[in-house]
Amino acid sequence: MSMIEVTNLTKSYGPIQALRGVSFKVNTGEVVGLLGPNGAGKSTTIKILTGYLQPDDGLVMVDGLDVLSHTREVQARIGYLPENAPLYPELTVQTYLRMIADLREIPLEEQQARLSEAIYAAGLAERLTQPIGQLSKGFRQRVGLAQAILHRPKLLIFDEPTIGLDPTQIVEIRHLLRRLARHSTILFSSHILSEVEAVCDRVVIIMNGEVKADAKLDELAATSNAILVLQKETAGVQQTLQNLSGVAHIETLRSDGYPTYRVTSSNGGVDLCPAIFDLARQENWPVRELRRDVRTLESVFNQLATVE
């Protein structure tokens, strides 16, 4: 079942078209990263999803409800942490979270349990009496996360949740997101590739207001190309490989000092490794390693950016 369905979403700010027919789905229980460079349209998409901004055109459904016609009902189902968390620096952590519990209309008899749950999940137990304005950036983000999960939402939406954090704080937020993913569907935007790889099941890449890729991380990484590493230089390898059926291109590399060849397939669905293995045995090449090539998220991202 889909928790989020976005269909042909468009949005312009004057002459600037921020979104151009964006469509994607997020299934219940998934952790999906909305990835793209700054200005790609990620935050605009999230603001429309959460009912804080109206699109020019398109349909947005959350948990089976149209966001435009059932905005309050949708917002009640969402835990939202915008890029700049809505915090009150003069309030203590405990006072702030109690205020959020009241605003979320959590029954008084349930508030203590919900508060304890959110405080424990966000690691705020030792900061309850401290004014939010005295907290570090990392702990302020934790307070923002605590307010987002306080009402046990079905869907969590985070906009750049680790922006401005130091490496230690980023790791802490990653661990927290993984724990939250056990019970909630999560969509979060980022332009940091390592964040998406560390936390997400799937990625939707937006560039210039358009969806350029939508796939699971292992699907994006998969390729039918092959990497061949030899023990020593061997004459005629490149030409022989080029004559192999299904080969489009040969790239010569070096791997730890060993001659290495990236063999690109002319047919994206055919694994070249078996044919290369048979050829290497026939030619008696000194093979050190033969494996399928794997693309990193960075290489996919850069390739899409180059196409732009």
Side-chain angles (χ1 to χ4, degrees), residues 13 112 217 253:
Y13 300 100
Q112 190 57 51
L217 288 176
L253 311 169

Side-chain angles (χ1 to χ4, degrees), residues 1 20 22 48 54 59 70 81 83 93 98 104 124 151-152 170 178 185 201 243 258 266 277 285 287 292-293 295 303:
M1 178 180 175
R20 310 163 186 259
V22 168
I48 292 172
Q54 287 199 344
L59 179 65
H70 296 85
L81 176 61
E83 185 174 339
V93 172
R98 285 194 179 279
R104 283 291 186 180
L124 290 168
H151 58 300
R152 296 176 186 165
I170 288 173
R178 290 195 196 102
T185 303
D201 305 317
N243 293 333
Y258 296 98
S266 59
F277 175 81
W285 290 339
V287 176
R292 292 188 74 166
D293 192 17
R295 298 182 298 179
Q303 182 180 9

Side-chain angles (χ1 to χ4, degrees), residues 30-80:
E30 277 192 305
V31 180
V32 175
L34 195 60
L35 180 63
N38 290 327
K42 305 185 301 298
S43 292
T44 297
T45 301
I46 283 180
K47 287 175 182 177
I48 292 172
L49 274 171
T50 52
Y52 291 95
L53 192 65
Q54 287 199 344
D56 297 333
D57 198 8
L59 179 65
V60 182
M61 304 288 289
V62 172
D63 198 23
L65 297 173
D66 186 331
V67 173
L68 289 179
S69 57
H70 296 85
T71 305
R72 291 295 297 273
E73 294 95 325
V74 167
Q75 289 175 339
R77 288 165 163 78
I78 294 175
Y80 176 39

Side-chain angles (χ1 to χ4, degrees), residues 218-226 245-249 263-273 292-293 295 303:
D218 56 355
E219 293 173 351
L220 281 176
T223 170
S224 57
N225 302 336
S245 176
V247 172
H249 176 69
V263 187
T264 303
S265 171
S266 59
N267 184 340
V270 178
D271 181 5
L272 290 174
C273 286
R292 292 188 74 166
D293 192 17
R295 298 182 298 179
Q303 182 180 9

Side-chain angles (χ1 to χ4, degrees), residues 167-197:
T168 301
Q169 293 166 340
I170 288 173
V171 170
E172 291 172 350
I173 297 299
R174 281 183 190 171
H175 290 321
L176 176 55
L177 290 177
R178 290 195 196 102
R179 292 198 299 272
L180 294 174
R182 298 170 190 166
H183 308 289
S184 300
T185 303
I186 297 178
L187 173 71
F188 80 92
S189 77
S190 180
H191 64 277
I192 303 174
L193 303 180
S194 59
E195 289 305 298
V196 175
E197 288 182 309

